[in-house]
Amino acid sequence: RCDASLLSQFQSITSTLDRRDKDGRTALWHAADRANSAGVSALIDMGVNATISGPGGETALMRAIARNIATQSLITISGNLDHQSETGNTALIIAAASGDGKTVAALLAARASLDIRNAQGNSALMVAVREGHVATAQTLVSAGANASLRNKKRETAHDIAVAAGRRELESVLRQ
């Protein structure tokens, strides 16, 4: 059982950890950016707010995905999985770009939206295709990603695969 004084101290510590530095970054954002998975886990256990975005509108989850240290617990507490950075990227687009199938699957299971497009009009599927991530593209197609969307260059995911000479991806997109 937790007494009121201890609870008050805990809340004070957590709110301090949620403060932003002069560049707009929180302790959780810093830990994720530095690929410090132990630090990310410890901060999550302390109850920090994972919904606060940092520079460029990126959340700690986005930084963790970019550094390949995303965890299910961070996905769970991140709130709006469809949050878009200033470039329009979502956590799912970032995971698709890196070919991180485990994180893509976890985001889809947590109900991240499949067809949000970034500032260039690219969806997670288009980015996975552009980067040549066959398994990730297959996961997205199987989950119902819309392969007929067009980006700002008027390209579909199939157009991107053809232009890159990625025959295996062309076949995935025909399903």
Side-chain angles (χ1 to χ4, degrees):
R1 192 169 104 126
C2 187
D3 69 25
S5 172
L6 185 59
L7 183 59
S8 175
Q9 289 174 351
F10 180 73
Q11 288 170 334
S12 175
I13 290 168
T14 302
S15 69
T16 299
L17 291 173
D18 286 337
R19 286 193 187 135
R20 296 172 191 243
D21 68 10
K22 65 181 176 53
D23 297 316
R25 299 172 293 208
T26 64
L28 183 60
W29 196 97
H30 275 288
D33 188 53
R34 293 184 174 126
N36 183 342
S37 57
V40 168
S41 293
L43 289 164
I44 289 169
D45 290 345
M46 293 178 77
V48 296
N49 182 348
T51 66
I52 301 170
S53 58
E58 287 190 330
T59 63
L61 175 60
M62 292 172 171
R63 295 309 306 151
I65 292 169
R67 300 293 189 252
N68 201 28
I69 62 161
T71 63
Q72 183 61 51
S73 57
L74 184 54
I75 290 168
T76 301
I77 68 165
S78 287
N80 179 8
L81 295 177
D82 296 332
H83 171 82
Q84 292 182 273
S85 69
E86 289 176 5
T87 59
N89 288 327
T90 63
L92 185 61
I93 291 172
I94 294 167
S98 70
D100 184 350
K102 181 180 173 185
T103 301
V104 166
L107 289 164
L108 292 173
R111 305 224 185 265
S113 297
L114 278 169
D115 294 322
I116 292 176
R117 291 183 271 175
N118 65 18
Q120 292 80 39
N122 292 313
S123 66
L125 178 59
M126 291 173 182
V127 171
V129 168
R130 178 165 282 122
E131 298 300 324
H133 300 304
V134 177
T136 300
Q138 179 64 58
T139 298
L140 293 164
V141 167
S142 295
N146 184 345
S148 65
L149 293 176
R150 292 187 180 275
N151 63 20
K152 289 188 176 181
K153 293 180 181 178
R154 305 290 304 145
E155 302 168 312
T156 65
H158 186 264
D159 296 336
I160 293 167
V162 169
R166 301 187 191 278
R167 300 226 184 267
E168 191 173 1
L169 282 162
E170 289 178 52
S171 147
V172 166
L173 296 166
R174 277 190 225 112
Q175 296 176 1

